[in-house]
Amino acid sequence: MKNKVFNYIVGKIAGGEKLHFTLIDPDKVSRLDELEKLMDIASSAGTDAFLIGGSTSVTPEEAGATAEVLKKSGLPVVVFPGNLNCLTPKADAVLFMVLMNTMEPYYLMQVQVLAAPLIRKYGLETIPTGYIVFNTDTAVGHIGRVYSIPYSKPELVLAYALAAEMMGFKLLYLEAGSGAQSHIPPAFPGIVKKHTELITMVGGGIRSPDAALELIRAGADIIVTGTIMEKDPERGVNIIKTIKKYRG
Ligand SMILES: CC(C)=CCC/C(C)=C/CC/C(C)=C/CC/C(C)=C/COP(=O)(O)OP(=O)(O)O
Ligand SMILES: O=P(O)(O)OC[C@@H](O)CO
Ligand SMILES: [Mg+2]
């Protein structure tokens, strides 16, 4: 069905839910038995979908094998691509992303042109996504040649968000970078939510239920965690449960 994953997300948000996505980096979780364990823990806690991706070192075979395992959960499996190598027909959908604050033309239009025919052949659903990365001191910040946006300037974030909406993106991913020292300020999802209709997804450096709650209260619709599930699954479960209990 067309837009199946997107409609699943929109339906949950319309029903008053806040969502949690679990990021699996095939570069970090390469053993399939470990992956299955993580999947069971996250899905029992109530995560709403799985993202698969990494900035470096993901082979198409690893992406495919990861997707195949995660599909067993019955939850949507969405590619969050660092590049073409992350694409796999085994997933349900792909975040069709533009890295809005890059200085590298490849991440603005070239990778999308290279990816589009492959995605069509694979039959993957595409979710038009504006991607903004705030921390240059992370793998994605380095690989993506990110042009940093000051943390003290939410109005600049809003300018990006308005541009994303005017260009027809449906989702805006505000990213501190995987393993970032700190998550983004709540004022960022706050200002985006106040002035646009974009689905607002926040990730990077979220390591506590309080941090997730703060971002959700400010306006984030979707919280992404990756590292915490690999390092401290119990804490990861607490974050998911807190998000799923929240009613605004
Ligand atoms: C449309 C297609 C096919 C691709 C878009 C490609 C774009 C725009 C990529 C943006 C730049 C980039 C490198 C994104 C990577 C995002 C990602 C999957 C991050 C996951 O975390 P890691 O950066 O691997 O963190 P670790 O350092 O913890 O491994
Ligand atoms: O690994 P963490 O810090 O949870 O970040 C998740 C995600 O936003 C990275 O793209
Ligand atoms: Mg990685």
Side-chain angles (χ1 to χ4, degrees):
M1 207 210 310
K2 220 173 159 260
N3 297 334
K4 195 171 164 207
V5 176
F6 183 70
N7 291 337
Y8 165 89
I9 296 170
V10 169
K12 283 191 169 232
I13 293 172
E17 278 184 60
K18 296 293 184 177
L19 278 65
H20 174 272
F21 289 0
T22 302
L23 169 66
I24 304 287
D25 186 341
D27 185 34
K28 300 277 164 62
V29 188
S30 50
R31 282 189 35 200
L32 296 183
D33 55 334
E34 268 175 32
L35 173 63
E36 205 151 334
K37 236 194 267 168
L38 276 184
M39 172 187 80
D40 287 339
I41 295 171
S43 52
S44 309
T47 198
D48 296 286
F50 288 98
L51 297 180
I52 300 176
S55 292
T56 54
S57 321
V58 180
T59 67
E61 292 73 22
E62 284 170 336
T66 305
E68 245 168 0
V69 170
L70 294 175
K71 292 270 277 194
K72 293 189 203 163
S73 68
L75 294 169
V77 175
V78 181
V79 175
F80 166 36
N83 212 324
L84 298 173
N85 53 308
C86 295
L87 294 173
T88 168
K90 311 270 187 199
D92 298 302
V94 55
L95 298 181
F96 198 72
M97 314 194 300
V98 166
L99 179 51
M100 296 184 75
N101 63 322
T102 182
M103 293 189 285
E104 173 57 66
Y106 178 78
Y107 291 110
L108 277 180
M109 193 40 68
Q110 194 170 7
V111 65
Q112 295 79 2
V113 169
L114 292 169
L118 298 177
I119 291 173
R120 178 56 58 87
K121 276 192 195 166
Y122 290 167
L124 287 171
E125 174 184 338
T126 46
I127 302 177
T129 302
Y131 188 43
I132 307 176
V133 173
F134 290 95
N135 202 324
T136 50
D137 196 22
T138 55
V140 52
H142 176 80
I143 301 287
R145 298 197 63 205
V146 159
Y147 183 53
S148 71
I149 300 173
Y151 269 13
S152 59
K153 295 283 174 204
E155 62 271 29
L156 282 176
V157 179
L158 176 60
Y160 276 89
L162 290 171
E165 190 167 54
M166 289 174 192
M167 284 192 263
F169 294 117
K170 301 289 182 220
L171 197 147
L172 190 70
Y173 192 164
L174 304 173
E175 165 83 283
S178 185
Q181 296 261 338
S182 56
H183 58 78
I184 61 158
F188 291 1
I191 199 162
V192 173
K193 214 54 214 169
K194 189 162 172 212
H195 297 282
T196 76
E197 306 271 301
L198 292 161
I199 296 171
T200 309
M201 183 151 107
V202 177
I206 301 170
R207 286 183 280 269
S208 74
D210 283 351
L213 259 187
E214 195 188 12
L215 291 159
I216 271 180
R217 283 205 186 102
D221 299 302
I222 306 173
I223 297 290
V224 181
T225 62
T227 311
I228 197 74
M229 237 348 152
E230 295 156 18
K231 299 237 162 100
D232 187 350
E234 205 176 312
R235 221 174 153 79
V237 163
N238 283 335
I239 294 177
I240 298 173
K241 289 192 170 161
T242 303
I243 293 167
K244 296 316 296 179
K245 262 198 285 190
Y246 179 84
R247 281 292 175 276

